[in-house]
Amino acid sequence: MTDLEHELAALIVESLALHDVNPADLNRDTPLFNEGLGLDSVDALELAMAVHKKYGVQIKADDPSVRDTFYSIGSLAAHIELARGTEPR
Amino acid sequence: MTAFDLLAPLSKPRRVCSAPAGNGWLSTRDARRDLARLLSALDQQGAHGQPPAPNPETTLLVVASDRYHMLLACLAAWLRGSTVSLPPNHQPGTLDDVRTESGAQLVLTDAMVARSLASEHGLADEPRELADRAPIPADRPVLTVFTSGTTGDHQACTKTAGQLFGEALTLAQALAFDPSRSVAATVPCHHLYGLLFSVLVPYFSGAGFVRDAAFQPAEICGTCQHWQVTDLVAVPAHLAALVEAGWAAPFQLERAFSSGAVLDVELACEFRRISGAQVVDVLGSTESGGIAWRVSEPGAVYVPLPGVEVAATEDSRLLLRSPFLPPGTGWEAMSDRIRLVAGGFEHLGRSDGIVKLGGKRVAVQELEARARQLDGITDAAVLVMPSTELRKTELWLAVAAEHGDWTRASLREALGRYFDPVLLPRRYRVVHRLPRNALGKLEKAELERLFAHDERAVRRAAGPKQGPDARPASDSSETCWTTDVWVPEQSPFFQGHFPGRPVLPGVAQLSEFVLPAILQAWAELHQLERIPVLKYKRPIQPGARLALELRRRGAASVHFELREDGELCSAGQLCFVVSGARESTMTPPDNRP
């Protein structure tokens, strides 16, 4: 995982207070919702806010790809890198 | 007797709801055409993919997220004399159950409504389909809403036409809905609040409504902007999210409605400050219907809706007499506690075990009952715990299982068949037995201890920490630490050790519990040198709860004892390399996960 992806794993665990999840157990492809981490809609709100606070990146809802953005740590990292104008890896 | 003409709102040309893909508004003309198509599909062929439903005395289970589909499905059902059942959520297990419990002969989904509208039923003879549809008498049951119950079964709450349409018309008038207003919602329309405020009230009042639910703050902003929304139907959690997101609302939003959970007046004021919209807090429940409302401001009192009478018992419980209660009900005691004041009442809280999460309600007992029904699970208990700022409250679930197949993931999956994801527990513990006392009661503090050591315990320190259960005691010669240790139910250490009879290996006792605890108590003791004494007296099984006692003996030596229920399991003496001394032959585990 990239540094950003490690950061995001920690951010997810911390901002969502996932006591039972170890950031190091997460990888780039772990699905955040449903069968993966099992996050719910309130988590999505909190995560969008945490990402905005930390990276200044808005997760725009009129963008039809919002579900894809939140699919995994990898997709979220790619979204942030794209929004900051750096190339996603 | 009063009767309700459901087609009257479609008689004048005006808008009804948003058209798909953001393309303007559907008109009453569009709605008449689509309603005729759906009626034709239901009356003649049955909805697409379903057997015909020739008998109008049927129950239709409507599973719709699209508010326009919900409106059409309900109107079609009611016009042909059927009743509508709505499920508490759209999870497959729940739908199976509710279909059985409701006796629904037909399930109508978004996809089926969409197909009916698009199919050749489009050639339906509209005047004929819509002619001679009699008004609905007030005493006819029209809707059954299934909610989470306290016993594990879903509670069915049936509304007559008088209750449901009467409430929609009352709300429309009392809250001044009219054709100039545009309504969007962050809540689903299969709950009574969403059905009334985002579908039926707009429909009867002539206000336009937005079909899709907006959820994320940015999404809600986009929806409000695009459709020039004046009224946002929401719950406190969503308003909090908008405030948190720093929502600036340079649009037309005038009001936000809040119901389903207690709304902080401070939050309402903050929302008003950033959005310019006032927050209307509506008090009510599925069973009682709407009771009262207020514009949420400091000192504002709740004003009963027109026709609703409110009184209070000596112990402050709300007494209600309302046209929205089942016909023939007199004064009914609610679970709310209130104080009557001039012009209305103040709300003091609730007095039952229903927990509201993210604006949705869950009966803790239902969750426990569902868990106990799972294969191999013998006991279950739910803890209601404080959570993050937005979520406010979350649930933790502890279960006692006969076998080790239950994990966080499999429990989530099994319960996810019945509960909305927002209502699922956030933390899980699987143990051999719950710490019930002699009377079979579970103390909250005991349950919380199950969660005190997280699942990483087997890989990370489960050591002494500052707190009531970790106390450094000292006499002249030694320092003593005690702490509780929970052995996880599942751990790689149990695999093959031994098949069918898992026992915690001796080396794991040291590496996972004793050494990390020592390291945490005395950071300088990080390099183990030798183990002069080590005794294993009793096997330690998965889920065991152990007391670990550490005694420092001199600069480099620690004596440990692990006990279960007072019985010694293992004990020994460990010697460490004190900083700056010799190389060690064995290093304690690092804290790498």
Side-chain angles (χ1 to χ4, degrees):
Chain A
M1 296 215 290
T2 64
D3 287 350
L4 177 60
E5 285 165 345
H6 281 295
E7 259 178 47
L8 283 173
L11 181 72
I12 288 167
V13 169
E14 193 190 331
S15 65
L16 307 183
L18 304 178
H19 307 274
D20 296 336
V21 179
N22 188 339
D25 291 342
L26 303 180
N27 63 49
R28 165 184 305 144
D29 302 319
T30 311
L32 299 184
F33 293 85
N34 302 327
E35 78 277 18
L37 266 184
L39 300 189
D40 61 33
S41 50
V42 179
D43 290 314
L45 290 175
E46 303 223 42
L47 185 54
M49 273 176 230
V51 165
H52 182 234
K53 212 177 255 174
K54 180 151 185 177
Y55 301 102
V57 172
Q58 284 272 15
I59 313 276
K60 286 210 189 94
D62 45 2
D63 182 349
S65 66
V66 67
R67 270 163 228 283
D68 300 338
T69 303
F70 270 131
Y71 178 74
S72 68
I73 290 171
S75 61
L76 188 54
H79 177 88
I80 291 170
E81 285 180 331
L82 201 64
R84 292 155 134 192
T86 49
E87 278 299 306
R89 29 165 300 149
Chain B
M1 170 172 299
T2 324
F4 297 88
D5 180 0
L6 298 185
L7 292 175
L10 295 181
S11 59
K12 286 186 208 135
R14 58 169 183 84
R15 69 210 164 106
V16 174
C17 71
S18 59
N23 292 324
W25 296 84
L26 295 182
S27 66
T28 45
R29 205 172 125 187
D30 298 319
R32 288 179 70 88
R33 177 201 62 217
D34 288 343
L35 183 58
R37 289 178 181 182
L38 185 58
L39 275 166
S40 163
L42 284 174
D43 283 347
Q44 291 163 27
Q45 280 91 356
H48 198 85
Q50 288 280 322
N55 178 5
E57 299 286 314
T58 46
T59 297
L60 266 73
L61 181 61
V62 179
V63 186
S65 303
D66 181 320
R67 281 164 231 277
Y68 183 52
H69 292 166
M70 177 62 82
L71 175 68
L72 292 176
C74 288
L75 289 177
W78 294 329
L79 288 173
R80 63 201 291 277
S82 304
T83 64
V84 170
S85 282
L86 297 179
N89 58 55
H90 290 177
Q91 316 306 120
T94 304
L95 292 181
D96 286 348
D97 285 358
V98 168
R99 183 168 189 181
T100 310
E101 290 169 33
S102 66
Q105 290 87 348
L106 192 65
V107 180
L108 209 47
T109 62
D110 272 321
M112 288 154 59
V113 175
R115 276 199 298 267
S116 297
L117 301 190
S119 71
E120 69 272 21
H121 305 306
L123 303 175
D125 182 346
E126 177 186 311
R128 190 177 60 79
E129 283 293 344
L130 299 186
D132 302 327
R133 297 287 182 177
I136 316 292
D139 63 350
R140 181 189 294 171
V142 290
L143 177 72
T144 302
V145 183
F146 286 83
T147 58
S148 299
T150 49
T151 59
D153 291 326
H154 297 102
Q155 298 289 301
C157 176
T158 296
K159 303 276 179 190
T160 62
Q163 287 174 273
L164 184 67
F165 306 142
E167 183 174 355
L169 290 166
T170 299
L171 288 170
Q173 194 195 11
L175 300 174
F177 280 83
D178 63 47
S180 72
R181 311 194 75 86
S182 302
V183 182
T186 67
V187 294
C189 57
H190 56 259
H191 296 159
L192 192 65
Y193 171 53
L195 180 70
L196 278 168
F197 277 78
S198 68
V199 180
L200 295 182
V201 169
Y203 178 72
F204 282 116
S205 67
F209 64 86
V210 179
R211 296 165 70 157
D212 315 300
F215 208 80
Q216 300 276 344
E219 217 173 357
I220 297 169
C221 295
T223 296
C224 288
Q225 203 151 21
H226 184 90
W227 299 105
Q228 308 206 338
V229 168
T230 57
D231 295 85
L232 182 67
V233 179
V235 290
H238 293 152
L239 297 178
L242 286 167
V243 167
E244 180 80 12
W247 188 33
F251 355 106
Q252 289 71 21
L253 193 73
E254 292 169 17
R255 301 188 296 189
F257 289 90
S258 169
S259 193
V262 176
L263 172 73
D264 262 0
V265 172
E266 268 178 41
L267 168 63
C269 292
E270 189 58 20
F271 184 82
R272 172 153 210 180
R273 196 182 63 74
I274 59 168
S275 73
Q278 56 179 215
V279 182
V280 179
D281 183 7
V282 183
L283 189 66
S285 69
T286 302
E287 294 76 17
S288 65
I291 297 172
W293 66 283
R294 65 171 180 176
V295 173
S296 192
E297 288 167 349
V301 299
Y302 286 95
V303 180
L305 288 165
V308 172
E309 295 169 86
V310 164
T313 63
E314 272 179 15
D315 58 346
S316 303
R317 282 185 71 181
L318 188 159
L319 290 173
L320 178 70
R321 191 157 69 178
S322 164
F324 317 136
L325 284 169
T329 313
W331 287 97
E332 183 92 352
M334 299 286 111
S335 304
D336 302 84
R337 289 166 42 248
I338 62 164
R339 176 164 50 228
L340 293 176
V341 294
F345 61 88
E346 293 168 4
H347 194 253
L348 307 175
R350 284 173 69 87
S351 56
D352 62 7
I354 301 277
V355 180
K356 301 232 171 174
L357 299 173
K360 300 178 180 183
R361 43 185 253 157
V362 62
V364 165
Q365 291 94 329
E366 183 188 4
L367 201 52
E368 291 174 349
R370 280 287 178 205
R372 283 192 201 105
Q373 286 167 6
L374 299 175
D375 178 49
I377 287 185
T378 52
D379 200 357
V382 168
L383 271 173
V384 181
M385 300 298 288
S387 186
T388 56
E389 187 167 338
L390 265 189
R391 187 182 297 273
K392 304 263 192 260
T393 304
E394 65 184 57
L395 303 181
W396 297 356
L397 173 68
V399 297
E402 287 169 341
H403 55 72
D405 295 345
W406 288 108
T407 60
R408 170 192 164 84
S410 60
L411 282 168
R412 278 191 72 91
E413 192 191 337
L415 294 170
R417 286 179 50 79
Y418 299 99
F419 298 95
D420 187 291
V422 170
L423 303 182
L424 288 177
R426 303 260 294 165
R427 301 185 69 187
Y428 297 81
R429 280 297 176 275
V430 182
V431 293
H432 278 313
R433 59 175 191 275
L434 295 184
R436 290 188 182 275
N437 67 16
L439 298 172
K441 283 194 66 163
L442 279 168
E443 299 293 335
K444 190 177 183 207
E446 289 293 300
L447 267 179
E448 279 180 37
R449 292 173 83 117
L450 286 180
F451 293 87
H453 300 284
D454 64 30
E455 284 167 3
R456 282 170 273 170
V458 85
R459 275 173 287 139
R460 291 183 52 189
K465 55 181 184 196
Q466 300 303 331
D469 60 345
R471 44 183 192 282
S474 63
D475 54 38
S476 57
S477 64
E478 60 189 27
T479 318
C480 171
W481 282 86
T482 60
T483 187
D484 285 347
V485 172
W486 277 91
V487 180
E489 288 292 324
Q490 280 102 28
S491 152
F493 287 113
F494 298 134
Q495 282 167 19
H497 190 278
F498 300 88
R501 191 166 183 281
V503 167
L504 188 67
V507 65
Q509 295 178 29
L510 290 184
S511 69
E512 306 309 317
F513 298 115
V514 179
L515 287 172
I518 290 172
L519 190 63
Q520 216 167 332
W522 302 288
E524 72 272 19
L525 303 183
H526 56 87
Q527 274 192 311
L528 184 65
E529 188 186 40
R530 61 201 169 87
I531 306 176
V533 183
L534 191 55
K535 285 180 286 194
Y536 294 108
K537 308 283 274 188
R538 283 162 53 95
I540 297 174
Q541 291 170 351
R545 181 175 165 182
L546 308 172
L548 172 62
E549 187 178 290
L550 302 174
R551 283 177 189 275
R552 181 92 180 250
R553 295 203 165 136
S557 173
V558 175
H559 176 83
F560 82 89
E561 288 182 1
L562 272 171
R563 290 176 185 273
E564 184 175 18
D565 295 335
E567 297 282 335
L568 189 65
C569 298
S570 58
Q573 189 175 357
L574 310 180
C575 293
F576 293 83
V577 178
V578 180
S579 299
R582 291 165 290 164
E583 286 289 307
S584 77
T585 50
M586 179 177 170
T587 52
D590 57 20
N591 272 342
R592 183 180 48 83

